[in-house]
Structure formats: structure tokens, C-alpha cells
């Protein structure tokens, strides 16, 4: 059995040691805090990846995501093809006065259109200003930190491998097209040169040569006898 009051003495000892230490006060806002890389501050929207699938709005437990869209008809890519319809985003807004920062919308997005940003300085005097429209959400994307580096021993993601293969295929096609163009230019230059300096060029009679003069012009009668 312990000594009565030993727990209280230990607690007071911790208090006394803490009181004698120098305090470290963060001078905010002059000194910004060092936040963890996965801090949940505000949500950024990468609009180009959004397909208006509505998954984020349906899964949001607070119903704080508002999305409006309309359909547009896309002409066929090739003659004889069928027209397609696609959704066009008109409005994407998040009410951060209702948001509970659970991150479900980011997790369920199948196209990586929503990201966490560590920014937290977006307080407003009017609660209605806490509803950020898509332009404001897009500005938050510039504050999204880069993803952490992969483990050097990890396998290459399939997306990166597919993108690299597509880039290599495109580069090979461009190199082949450039080689064909250079070969065609060389053949064209060779044909032009053959037309001006062909094999029969210079084989005609020379003007002014003694062998090509008509009979009698050199003082002979054509048979080698001088007249």
C-alpha cells in the first residue's frame, strides 16, 4: 500500500517543474504555426476534374455542398457517329458554416476534384460569407500542398505507367513523321539536282570547235586538201 498523499505530491512536483521552465508562446499572427501536412483547413476544388456526378453532395452528412449543372450536346467525333450529352458545371459551393470537416466528400470523389488545404484564416464577420463559390474554392487549390513522395521501393502507379507509355508512343510517332519529312525533302532536293546536272549534260557539240565547222570554212575543201 502506498503512502497516503503520494499521488498528490507527485502531481505537485510535476506542477513545480513546469512552473520553473521558460514558456514558449507562439506569436501568432506574426509567426505562422507549422501545421502538419494533412491539416484539414479548407477544401479546394479542381474544377477540370469535376464531372458533376453529385457523389460528394449526396454523401455529405451536413448537406453543405450545393451543385447546379446543365446538359450540353457534344457533336460526334467522327462522321457518322452519334451525338453525346455531358454535364456542364454551373455552380459548386460549400457552406463552411455547416461543414464538419469530416472529409467524406474528398474520399468519395472518384475523379480527384476535391483536396484539403491547410489554410484556416478565412473567418468572416457575416456568416453568409462562409459559403464559398467555385471561384473561391478554385483559389484554395493554390494552397494545397504537394503529395508526399512515394517509397523508393514501391511499385510505380498504373496511371503513371500508362501516361509514360502514351507519351513514349506519341514521341515515337512524332520522330517517325519528322524522319519521313526529312527523307522526302532530301529526295526532292536530289531530283532537282538531277534535272540541272543530269548524265547527258555537257555531251552536246561544242560551239566554236574546229571539228564542227562546215566544209571549206577552215581553208580546205573538205577532203583535207588546201585550196
Amino acid at each position: 500500500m502506498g503512502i497516503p498523499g503520494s499521488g498528490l505530491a507527485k502531481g505537485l512536483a510535476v506542477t513545480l517543474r513546469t512552473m520553473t521552465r521558460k514558456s514558449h508562446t507562439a506569436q501568432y499572427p506574426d509567426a505562422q504555426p507549422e501545421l502538419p501536412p494533412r491539416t484539414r483547413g479548407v477544401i479546394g476544388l479542381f474544377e477540370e476534374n469535376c464531372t458533376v456526378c453529385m457523389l460528394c453532395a449526396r454523401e455529405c452528412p451536413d448537406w453543405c455542398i450545393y451543385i447546379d449543372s446543365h446538359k450540353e450536346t457534344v457533336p460526334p467525333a467522327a462522321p457518322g457517329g452519334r451525338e453525346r450529352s455531358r454535364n456542364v458545371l454551373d455552380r459548386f459551393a460549400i457552406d463552411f458554416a455547416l461543414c464538419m470537416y469530416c472529409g467524406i466528400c474528398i474520399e468519395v470523389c472518384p475523379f480527384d476534384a476535391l483536396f484539403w488545404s491547410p489554410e484556416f484564416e478565412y473567418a468572416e464577420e457575416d456568416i453568409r460569407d462562409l459559403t464559398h463559390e467555385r471561384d473561391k474554392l478554385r483559389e484554395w487549390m493554390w494552397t494545397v500542398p504537394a503529395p508526399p513522395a512515394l517509397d523508393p521501393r514501391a511499385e510505380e502507379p498504373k496511371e503513371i505507367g500508362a501516361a509514360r507509355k502514351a507519351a513514349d508512343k506519341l514521341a515515337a510517332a512524332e520522330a517517325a513523321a519528322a524522319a519521313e519529312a526529312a527523307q522526302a525533302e532530301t529526295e526532292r532536293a536530289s531530283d532537282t539536282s538531277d534535272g540541272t546536272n543530269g548524265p547527258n549534260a555537257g555531251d552536246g557539240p561544242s560551239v566554236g570547235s574546229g571539228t564542227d565547222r562546215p566544209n571549206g570554212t577552215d581553208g580546205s575543201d573538205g577532203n583535207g586538201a588546201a585550196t
Side-chain angles (χ1 to χ4, degrees):
M1 184 175 179
I3 303 175
S6 60
L8 178 61
K10 291 180 180 179
L12 291 176
V14 173
T15 302
L16 291 175
R17 286 198 303 269
T18 304
M19 290 176 61
T20 57
R21 294 176 184 173
K22 184 179 180 180
S23 62
H24 299 277
T25 303
Q27 301 297 327
Y28 177 83
D30 296 331
Q32 293 293 327
E34 295 182 2
L35 301 175
R38 299 183 64 183
T39 298
R40 299 187 177 189
V42 70
I43 298 175
L45 170 66
F46 190 55
E47 187 176 338
E48 286 75 7
N49 286 359
C50 182
T51 61
V52 201
C53 64
M54 306 294 290
L55 276 176
C56 56
R58 287 199 297 264
E59 297 296 332
C60 178
D62 290 334
W63 293 0
C64 64
I65 300 178
Y66 313 109
I67 300 176
D68 293 330
S69 65
H70 70 278
K71 290 186 177 294
E72 284 187 356
T73 302
V74 180
R82 297 179 57 185
E83 294 183 348
R84 297 182 299 107
S85 62
R86 66 183 181 93
N87 291 324
V88 179
L89 184 65
D90 293 329
R91 185 195 183 200
F92 194 109
I94 299 178
D95 187 356
F96 287 101
L98 297 176
C99 179
M100 57 186 288
Y101 302 92
C102 62
I104 292 178
C105 57
I106 297 176
E107 296 295 332
V108 301
C109 179
F111 301 104
D112 293 335
L114 297 174
F115 297 88
W116 278 118
S117 167
E119 292 294 327
F120 60 92
E121 296 177 320
Y122 53 92
E124 301 289 349
E125 296 181 357
D126 191 345
I127 193 173
R128 292 172 293 184
D129 294 333
L130 286 175
T131 301
H132 294 185
E133 299 293 336
R134 64 177 182 175
D135 294 337
K136 184 65 175 178
L137 296 175
R138 185 178 181 84
E139 293 179 2
W140 292 124
M141 279 299 301
W142 298 106
T143 62
V144 174
L150 297 177
D151 191 323
R153 296 171 295 179
E155 296 182 358
E156 184 181 55
K158 296 181 180 179
E159 295 82 357
I160 297 179
R164 181 177 290 107
K165 290 181 180 179
D168 293 342
K169 185 177 180 180
L170 180 60
E174 292 178 353
E180 291 179 0
Q183 183 178 0
E185 184 66 23
T186 303
E187 292 177 356
R188 189 181 304 109
S190 177
D191 294 342
T192 304
S193 176
D194 292 342
T196 56
N197 299 318
N200 297 325
D203 293 343
S206 299
V207 179
S209 61
T211 58
D212 297 332
R213 293 178 181 176
N215 295 334
T217 58
D218 57 352
S220 63
D221 59 357
N223 295 320
T227 56

